[in-house]
Amino acid sequence: MKKIKFKVFWDRFGTLFILVLILAILSILSPKYFLTWDNFKQIGLQSTVYILLAFGEFFAILLAGIDLSVGAMAGLTGMIIAMVMKSGVPVALSIIIGILFGLVLGLINGSLINWFGLHPFIITLGTQAIYKGVNLVISNGSPVFNLPIAFKQISGYYFGIPLPVVTVLLFTLVLFWFTRKTVLARNMYALGGNRQAAWFSGINTKRYTLIAHMLTGLLSGIAGIVMTSRVGAAEPLAGNGYETYAIAACIIGGTSFFGGKGKITGVLLGGLIIGTITNGLNILNVSSFYQMIVMGMLIIGAVALEKAIGQTIK
């Protein structure tokens, strides 16, 4: 009975417990710089791209799959929208084009997965390389800068609060409602939990696979827009390695790598954990090389912990 209660506690509050623990440790290690309102705002701002990408990755993992191209999709979308704006297209229309472009990239991923019947790992590993290559080709390996001020203001502040943080909170509310209240999301959970049983119950597995990856592409595109706005330029290598952060945020946030389980609020907290760790390690002057080691250890530890808790309850 105690083991079952612990599992229920961990499912509900495990990610929050980890975040509080990390905040406590970093507060002790650097009380002067870490424990400031400006730094907490910076953590929120730094976490926004990770969280948006993780929201997209969530739907791929929910189906017991994965999408290794989220970072590449974000980078390519950012480059496309920058080039469109530089050609004279208004900012608002350029943003719409960027969002639709991300959706199309996700559509390509989902279609290839359905057509070839291969695991999403293989397909998205290939499209990751393709999207990166296209980014380098169309940009000729050079950044696109001097973007309109109105576009840069997307990452500005409103009453002292970073607008990307507001964007993330709005998407959190929308996706929370979507995953909790819609038949579409319930069918995705069912598909991720048991693909064969879902098929026998009448769920169109290919259709939902396509929809899930379109959502992944859509959210990756939005992450790319925010990322480009924050930097103020489109970099040909933008988004490289960000799939690691997205996957880590999902897994740390309680999304099961085996499909059919996960919460948007957990992914939000997972993204905040990634942003907090990155911020804290930067304050402590820890090399980015070691930061990648930490991220890898977090992913392995989170999956191992999930499996260990599940086996203990059984």
Side-chain angles (χ1 to χ4, degrees):
M1 184 63 68
K2 289 182 178 179
K3 292 179 180 178
I4 294 176
K5 287 182 178 179
F6 173 74
K7 186 177 188 304
V8 172
F9 168 82
W10 190 260
D11 284 342
R12 292 182 179 177
F13 306 110
T15 309
L16 181 61
F17 175 79
I18 293 173
L19 177 59
V20 172
L21 180 63
I22 291 172
L23 287 171
I25 293 173
L26 291 174
S27 297
I28 294 171
L29 293 176
S30 181
K32 182 178 179 181
Y33 298 103
F34 187 79
L35 285 176
T36 63
W37 173 242
D38 286 339
N39 188 56
F40 284 139
K41 286 195 296 185
Q42 188 62 28
I43 289 173
L45 187 58
Q46 288 178 335
S47 302
T48 52
V49 174
Y50 302 148
I51 293 170
L52 289 170
L53 285 175
F55 282 165
E57 189 70 55
F58 169 79
F59 290 102
I61 295 178
L62 186 64
L63 267 58
I66 197 169
D67 194 325
L68 298 178
S69 67
V70 290
M73 287 193 288
L76 181 54
T77 300
M79 181 59 69
I80 290 295
I81 192 174
M83 296 179 75
V84 167
M85 284 188 292
K86 291 289 286 185
S87 68
V89 177
V91 172
L93 181 56
S94 298
I95 291 173
I96 293 173
I97 292 172
I99 292 172
L100 293 175
F101 185 77
L103 189 69
V104 170
L105 294 179
L107 175 64
I108 292 171
N109 284 347
S111 298
L112 291 174
I113 291 167
N114 285 335
W115 288 340
F116 292 107
L118 296 174
H119 193 280
F121 179 92
I122 302 298
I123 296 297
T124 58
L125 180 63
T127 55
Q128 177 197 63
I130 293 171
Y131 298 155
K132 286 181 179 180
V134 171
N135 198 343
L136 289 168
V137 169
I138 63 175
S139 66
N140 200 27
S142 301
V144 177
F145 44 86
N146 291 331
L147 301 180
I149 295 177
F151 178 69
K152 296 178 183 178
Q153 289 176 342
I154 295 175
S155 293
Y157 287 78
Y158 188 74
F159 291 112
I161 300 174
L163 286 179
V165 173
V166 177
T167 301
V168 166
L169 291 176
L170 289 175
F171 272 100
T172 301
L173 292 174
V174 171
L175 293 174
F176 179 80
W177 169 83
F178 174 76
T179 54
R180 294 289 295 273
K181 300 296 183 181
T182 66
V183 174
L184 182 62
R186 284 199 295 271
N187 287 342
M188 286 185 187
Y189 277 96
L191 179 57
N194 190 318
R195 191 176 189 88
Q196 189 173 18
W199 185 82
F200 279 119
S201 66
I203 295 175
N204 188 322
T205 56
K206 289 189 175 182
R207 178 188 300 168
Y208 283 96
T209 297
L210 188 64
I211 293 172
H213 282 277
M214 288 175 67
L215 287 171
T216 300
L218 173 68
L219 289 159
S220 297
I222 292 170
I225 293 170
V226 173
M227 178 173 62
T228 306
S229 175
R230 278 194 59 205
V231 176
E235 298 286 344
L237 296 178
N240 272 11
Y242 274 39
E243 61 277 355
T244 302
Y245 299 117
I247 294 168
C250 288
I251 301 305
I252 294 169
T255 305
S256 175
F257 224 28
F258 309 104
K261 176 187 172 186
K263 297 178 180 178
I264 284 296
T265 50
V267 177
L268 173 68
L269 291 174
L272 285 173
I273 288 173
I274 300 300
T276 302
I277 291 174
T278 303
N279 175 271
L281 294 179
N282 285 334
I283 288 177
L284 296 172
N285 292 320
V286 176
S287 168
S288 60
F289 304 148
Y290 289 102
Q291 292 182 28
M292 290 302 298
I293 294 174
V294 171
M295 292 304 160
M297 292 172 64
L298 280 172
I299 294 174
I300 295 172
V303 176
L305 182 61
E306 178 199 353
K307 187 174 182 181
I309 291 175
Q311 289 179 341
T312 300
I313 302 306
K314 292 177 182 178

